[in-house]
Amino acid sequence: DVKVTQSSRYLVKRTGEKVFLECVQDMDHENMFWYRQDPGLGLRLIYFSYDVKMKEKGDIPEGYSVSREKKERFSLILESASTNQTSMYLCASIVGQGISGYTFGSGTRLTVV
Amino acid sequence: KQEVTQIPAALSVPEGENLVLNCSFTDSAIYNLQWFRQDPGKGLTSLLLIQSSQREQTSGRLNASLDKSSGRSTLYIAASQPGDSATYLCAVPLGGGGNKLTFGTGTQLKVEL
């Protein structure tokens, strides 16, 4: 089975810190995604990447950046963390064009204080 | 813009009952539809993926149907168990195809002893 691993389950960071959320998949998937999930708002797409060094903004990219230097790793960066970025962050990957479904990581619960 | 609605938002049933969760979407030109399960504080687990050419998919006690023309999908759970308690989300590709998904806000299911 495809495995998507998020490096941290829980993180607590201070306002203004630079925060890195890491995601690694082990099945050579081209496409990787970062979502955030908030009560009442559901899942919202932050950024996605369809190849190494390629990225595209999702619905809510403000305050975030991403990095994909290797195919298996997709990093989400909060340049200067703010309290409104407290959320559950979910990474996912998929291969092909609608051929198979998404595989999600177990999520990172980020709290910014 | 694709919009996905799930009804009901919450459901509580006694153990052993058969139940149906509903998902509707506004743009019927979709490649596929995916159902996920999410346990509290965890990531999403893929349950079933239905391709646009299929009418239904089955996995154990779960059966998902897809009616593209009416913009609807149902997830049928037979003989529900307390372990089925979770939030169930459906998702379709944004704009019909491609790999970006639009998610419903989910149905929170509680199966009571």
Short mmCIF file of all heavy atoms in Angstrom, two decimals, chain A residues 9 31 33 35 37 45 48 88 96-102 104-106, chain B residues 31-32 34 36 38 41-44 46 49 51 89 98-101 103:
data_model
loop_
_atom_site.label_atom_id
_atom_site.label_comp_id
_atom_site.label_asym_id
_atom_site.label_seq_id
_atom_site.Cartn_x
_atom_site.Cartn_y
_atom_site.Cartn_z
N ARG A 9 2.90 14.74 14.33
CA ARG A 9 1.46 14.67 14.57
C ARG A 9 0.96 15.95 15.23
O ARG A 9 -0.14 16.41 14.94
CB ARG A 9 1.13 13.48 15.48
CG ARG A 9 1.27 12.12 14.84
CD ARG A 9 0.28 11.93 13.69
NE ARG A 9 -1.09 12.28 14.05
CZ ARG A 9 -1.92 11.46 14.67
NH1 ARG A 9 -1.53 10.26 15.04
NH2 ARG A 9 -3.16 11.84 14.96
N ASN A 31 1.92 13.63 -8.14
CA ASN A 31 1.13 14.72 -7.60
C ASN A 31 1.06 14.67 -6.08
O ASN A 31 0.75 13.63 -5.50
CB ASN A 31 -0.31 14.64 -8.14
CG ASN A 31 -0.33 14.65 -9.65
OD1 ASN A 31 -0.15 15.68 -10.27
ND2 ASN A 31 -0.54 13.49 -10.24
N PHE A 33 -0.17 17.16 -2.49
CA PHE A 33 -1.09 18.24 -2.10
C PHE A 33 -0.94 18.57 -0.62
O PHE A 33 -0.67 17.69 0.19
CB PHE A 33 -2.55 17.81 -2.34
CG PHE A 33 -2.83 17.35 -3.74
CD1 PHE A 33 -2.51 16.06 -4.13
CD2 PHE A 33 -3.42 18.19 -4.65
CE1 PHE A 33 -2.77 15.61 -5.42
CE2 PHE A 33 -3.69 17.76 -5.94
CZ PHE A 33 -3.36 16.47 -6.32
N TYR A 35 -3.47 20.35 2.24
CA TYR A 35 -4.77 20.88 2.62
C TYR A 35 -4.71 21.31 4.07
O TYR A 35 -3.94 20.78 4.86
CB TYR A 35 -5.86 19.81 2.51
CG TYR A 35 -6.28 19.43 1.11
CD1 TYR A 35 -5.57 18.47 0.39
CD2 TYR A 35 -7.40 20.01 0.51
CE1 TYR A 35 -5.96 18.11 -0.90
CE2 TYR A 35 -7.79 19.65 -0.76
CZ TYR A 35 -7.07 18.70 -1.45
OH TYR A 35 -7.47 18.35 -2.72
N GLN A 37 -7.61 21.78 7.31
CA GLN A 37 -8.98 21.41 7.68
C GLN A 37 -9.38 22.15 8.93
O GLN A 37 -8.69 22.05 9.96
CB GLN A 37 -9.09 19.91 7.89
CG GLN A 37 -10.50 19.43 8.14
CD GLN A 37 -10.57 17.92 8.31
OE1 GLN A 37 -9.63 17.30 8.78
NE2 GLN A 37 -11.69 17.32 7.92
N LEU A 45 -7.67 23.53 -0.17
CA LEU A 45 -6.38 23.28 -0.80
C LEU A 45 -5.47 24.50 -0.68
O LEU A 45 -5.85 25.61 -1.07
CB LEU A 45 -6.60 22.92 -2.27
CG LEU A 45 -5.36 22.61 -3.09
CD1 LEU A 45 -4.66 21.36 -2.55
CD2 LEU A 45 -5.74 22.41 -4.55
N PHE A 48 -0.43 22.65 -4.41
CA PHE A 48 -0.15 21.31 -4.90
C PHE A 48 1.02 21.33 -5.86
O PHE A 48 1.43 22.40 -6.35
CB PHE A 48 -1.39 20.66 -5.51
CG PHE A 48 -1.84 21.26 -6.82
CD1 PHE A 48 -1.52 20.64 -8.02
CD2 PHE A 48 -2.62 22.40 -6.84
CE1 PHE A 48 -1.97 21.18 -9.21
CE2 PHE A 48 -3.06 22.94 -8.02
CZ PHE A 48 -2.74 22.32 -9.22
N MET A 88 -5.50 21.84 11.37
CA MET A 88 -5.03 20.51 11.01
C MET A 88 -4.55 20.58 9.57
O MET A 88 -5.30 21.03 8.68
CB MET A 88 -6.16 19.49 11.14
CG MET A 88 -5.85 18.12 10.55
SD MET A 88 -4.58 17.21 11.46
CE MET A 88 -5.65 16.18 12.46
N GLY A 96 -1.21 9.66 -11.63
CA GLY A 96 -2.02 9.65 -12.83
C GLY A 96 -3.13 10.67 -12.84
O GLY A 96 -3.25 11.53 -11.97
N GLN A 97 -3.98 10.55 -13.85
CA GLN A 97 -5.08 11.49 -14.03
C GLN A 97 -6.38 10.77 -13.76
O GLN A 97 -6.96 10.16 -14.64
CB GLN A 97 -5.06 12.02 -15.47
CG GLN A 97 -3.90 12.94 -15.77
CD GLN A 97 -4.09 14.31 -15.15
OE1 GLN A 97 -5.22 14.75 -14.91
NE2 GLN A 97 -3.00 14.99 -14.88
N GLY A 98 -6.81 10.83 -12.53
CA GLY A 98 -8.09 10.22 -12.17
C GLY A 98 -8.09 8.71 -12.24
O GLY A 98 -9.14 8.09 -12.21
N ILE A 99 -6.90 8.12 -12.31
CA ILE A 99 -6.83 6.67 -12.41
C ILE A 99 -7.04 6.02 -11.07
O ILE A 99 -7.72 5.01 -10.93
CB ILE A 99 -5.47 6.25 -13.00
CG1 ILE A 99 -5.31 6.82 -14.40
CG2 ILE A 99 -5.33 4.73 -12.99
CD1 ILE A 99 -3.94 6.62 -14.99
N SER A 100 -6.45 6.61 -10.07
CA SER A 100 -6.58 6.05 -8.73
C SER A 100 -6.91 7.18 -7.77
O SER A 100 -6.91 8.34 -8.13
CB SER A 100 -5.29 5.36 -8.32
OG SER A 100 -4.24 6.29 -8.28
N GLY A 101 -7.20 6.79 -6.54
CA GLY A 101 -7.63 7.79 -5.58
C GLY A 101 -6.49 8.40 -4.80
O GLY A 101 -5.34 8.03 -4.92
N TYR A 102 -6.86 9.36 -3.99
CA TYR A 102 -5.93 10.02 -3.08
C TYR A 102 -5.51 9.08 -1.95
O TYR A 102 -6.31 8.27 -1.48
CB TYR A 102 -6.62 11.19 -2.41
CG TYR A 102 -6.50 12.53 -3.08
CD1 TYR A 102 -6.58 12.67 -4.45
CD2 TYR A 102 -6.36 13.67 -2.30
CE1 TYR A 102 -6.50 13.92 -5.03
CE2 TYR A 102 -6.28 14.93 -2.87
CZ TYR A 102 -6.35 15.05 -4.24
OH TYR A 102 -6.28 16.28 -4.80
N PHE A 104 -3.93 9.88 1.87
CA PHE A 104 -3.63 10.95 2.81
C PHE A 104 -2.65 10.50 3.88
O PHE A 104 -2.61 9.32 4.25
CB PHE A 104 -4.91 11.43 3.51
CG PHE A 104 -5.69 12.45 2.73
CD1 PHE A 104 -6.62 12.04 1.79
CD2 PHE A 104 -5.50 13.80 2.94
CE1 PHE A 104 -7.34 12.97 1.07
CE2 PHE A 104 -6.22 14.73 2.22
CZ PHE A 104 -7.14 14.32 1.28
N GLY A 105 -1.89 11.47 4.40
CA GLY A 105 -1.12 11.24 5.61
C GLY A 105 -2.02 11.34 6.83
O GLY A 105 -3.21 11.63 6.72
N SER A 106 -1.44 11.12 7.99
CA SER A 106 -2.23 11.09 9.21
C SER A 106 -2.49 12.47 9.80
O SER A 106 -3.21 12.61 10.78
CB SER A 106 -1.55 10.21 10.25
OG SER A 106 -0.21 10.65 10.45
N TYR B 31 -14.65 12.70 -13.44
CA TYR B 31 -13.95 11.46 -13.76
C TYR B 31 -14.32 10.35 -12.78
O TYR B 31 -14.42 9.18 -13.12
CB TYR B 31 -12.44 11.65 -13.64
CG TYR B 31 -11.77 12.31 -14.82
CD1 TYR B 31 -12.49 12.89 -15.84
CD2 TYR B 31 -10.39 12.35 -14.89
CE1 TYR B 31 -11.85 13.50 -16.91
CE2 TYR B 31 -9.73 12.96 -15.95
CZ TYR B 31 -10.48 13.53 -16.95
OH TYR B 31 -9.84 14.13 -18.00
N ASN B 32 -14.41 10.75 -11.48
CA ASN B 32 -14.62 9.76 -10.44
C ASN B 32 -15.14 10.45 -9.19
O ASN B 32 -15.25 11.68 -9.13
CB ASN B 32 -13.32 8.99 -10.13
CG ASN B 32 -12.17 9.91 -9.75
OD1 ASN B 32 -12.35 10.84 -9.01
ND2 ASN B 32 -10.99 9.62 -10.26
N GLN B 34 -14.82 9.86 -4.79
CA GLN B 34 -14.15 9.07 -3.75
C GLN B 34 -14.83 9.31 -2.41
O GLN B 34 -15.18 10.44 -2.08
CB GLN B 34 -12.66 9.46 -3.69
CG GLN B 34 -11.79 8.51 -2.92
CD GLN B 34 -10.29 8.75 -3.16
OE1 GLN B 34 -9.91 9.66 -3.88
NE2 GLN B 34 -9.46 7.90 -2.58
N PHE B 36 -14.27 8.88 1.74
CA PHE B 36 -13.24 8.77 2.76
C PHE B 36 -13.89 8.63 4.13
O PHE B 36 -15.01 9.08 4.36
CB PHE B 36 -12.37 10.04 2.80
CG PHE B 36 -11.56 10.29 1.56
CD1 PHE B 36 -12.10 11.03 0.52
CD2 PHE B 36 -10.27 9.82 1.45
CE1 PHE B 36 -11.36 11.30 -0.62
CE2 PHE B 36 -9.51 10.08 0.32
CZ PHE B 36 -10.07 10.82 -0.71
N GLN B 38 -12.84 9.59 8.22
CA GLN B 38 -11.90 10.30 9.08
C GLN B 38 -12.27 10.08 10.54
O GLN B 38 -13.37 10.43 10.96
CB GLN B 38 -11.88 11.80 8.76
CG GLN B 38 -10.80 12.55 9.53
CD GLN B 38 -10.72 14.01 9.14
OE1 GLN B 38 -11.69 14.63 8.76
NE2 GLN B 38 -9.51 14.58 9.23
N GLY B 41 -9.29 13.63 14.90
CA GLY B 41 -7.88 13.99 15.02
C GLY B 41 -6.94 13.25 14.09
O GLY B 41 -5.72 13.35 14.24
N LYS B 42 -7.49 12.52 13.14
CA LYS B 42 -6.65 11.71 12.25
C LYS B 42 -6.77 12.19 10.81
O LYS B 42 -7.58 13.06 10.47
CB LYS B 42 -7.08 10.24 12.33
CG LYS B 42 -7.02 9.64 13.72
CD LYS B 42 -5.62 9.33 14.15
CE LYS B 42 -5.54 8.68 15.51
NZ LYS B 42 -6.20 7.36 15.54
N GLY B 43 -5.97 11.58 9.93
CA GLY B 43 -6.07 11.86 8.52
C GLY B 43 -7.24 11.13 7.90
O GLY B 43 -8.01 10.47 8.58
N LEU B 44 -7.36 11.25 6.58
CA LEU B 44 -8.45 10.60 5.86
C LEU B 44 -8.01 9.24 5.33
O LEU B 44 -6.89 9.10 4.83
CB LEU B 44 -8.89 11.46 4.67
CG LEU B 44 -9.83 12.62 4.96
CD1 LEU B 44 -9.18 13.69 5.78
CD2 LEU B 44 -10.36 13.19 3.65
N SER B 46 -9.06 6.36 2.57
CA SER B 46 -9.89 6.11 1.40
C SER B 46 -10.70 4.84 1.59
O SER B 46 -10.18 3.80 1.99
CB SER B 46 -9.00 5.98 0.16
OG SER B 46 -9.79 5.72 -0.97
N LEU B 49 -13.45 4.21 -4.36
CA LEU B 49 -13.30 5.10 -5.50
C LEU B 49 -14.18 4.58 -6.61
O LEU B 49 -14.04 3.42 -7.00
CB LEU B 49 -11.84 5.14 -5.95
CG LEU B 49 -11.55 5.88 -7.26
CD1 LEU B 49 -11.74 7.38 -7.07
CD2 LEU B 49 -10.14 5.57 -7.74
N GLN B 51 -15.23 5.09 -10.52
CA GLN B 51 -14.94 5.76 -11.77
C GLN B 51 -16.25 6.17 -12.43
O GLN B 51 -17.30 5.59 -12.17
CB GLN B 51 -14.14 4.83 -12.69
CG GLN B 51 -12.81 4.37 -12.12
CD GLN B 51 -11.79 5.48 -11.96
OE1 GLN B 51 -12.00 6.60 -12.45
NE2 GLN B 51 -10.71 5.20 -11.28
N LEU B 89 -16.57 11.52 4.35
CA LEU B 89 -16.51 12.61 3.38
C LEU B 89 -16.51 12.05 1.97
O LEU B 89 -15.92 11.02 1.70
CB LEU B 89 -15.25 13.46 3.57
CG LEU B 89 -15.09 14.17 4.90
CD1 LEU B 89 -14.12 13.43 5.79
CD2 LEU B 89 -14.57 15.58 4.68
N GLY B 98 -8.86 15.98 -13.67
CA GLY B 98 -7.65 16.42 -12.99
C GLY B 98 -7.57 15.88 -11.59
O GLY B 98 -8.38 15.05 -11.16
N ASN B 99 -6.63 16.36 -10.84
CA ASN B 99 -6.32 15.77 -9.55
C ASN B 99 -6.67 16.63 -8.36
O ASN B 99 -6.48 16.19 -7.23
CB ASN B 99 -4.83 15.42 -9.51
CG ASN B 99 -4.50 14.29 -10.47
OD1 ASN B 99 -5.24 13.32 -10.53
ND2 ASN B 99 -3.45 14.43 -11.23
N LYS B 100 -7.15 17.82 -8.55
CA LYS B 100 -7.56 18.63 -7.40
C LYS B 100 -8.99 18.23 -7.03
O LYS B 100 -9.86 18.17 -7.88
CB LYS B 100 -7.50 20.11 -7.74
CG LYS B 100 -6.09 20.64 -7.93
CD LYS B 100 -6.09 22.15 -8.08
CE LYS B 100 -6.62 22.58 -9.42
NZ LYS B 100 -6.55 24.06 -9.58
N LEU B 101 -9.19 17.96 -5.76
CA LEU B 101 -10.49 17.50 -5.30
C LEU B 101 -11.25 18.61 -4.59
O LEU B 101 -10.67 19.47 -3.94
CB LEU B 101 -10.34 16.33 -4.34
CG LEU B 101 -9.81 15.02 -4.90
CD1 LEU B 101 -9.80 13.95 -3.81
CD2 LEU B 101 -10.62 14.56 -6.10
N PHE B 103 -14.12 18.74 -1.65
CA PHE B 103 -14.67 17.87 -0.62
C PHE B 103 -16.00 18.39 -0.11
O PHE B 103 -16.23 19.60 -0.02
CB PHE B 103 -13.71 17.80 0.57
CG PHE B 103 -12.46 17.01 0.32
CD1 PHE B 103 -11.38 17.59 -0.32
CD2 PHE B 103 -12.37 15.68 0.72
CE1 PHE B 103 -10.24 16.86 -0.57
CE2 PHE B 103 -11.22 14.95 0.48
CZ PHE B 103 -10.15 15.53 -0.17
#
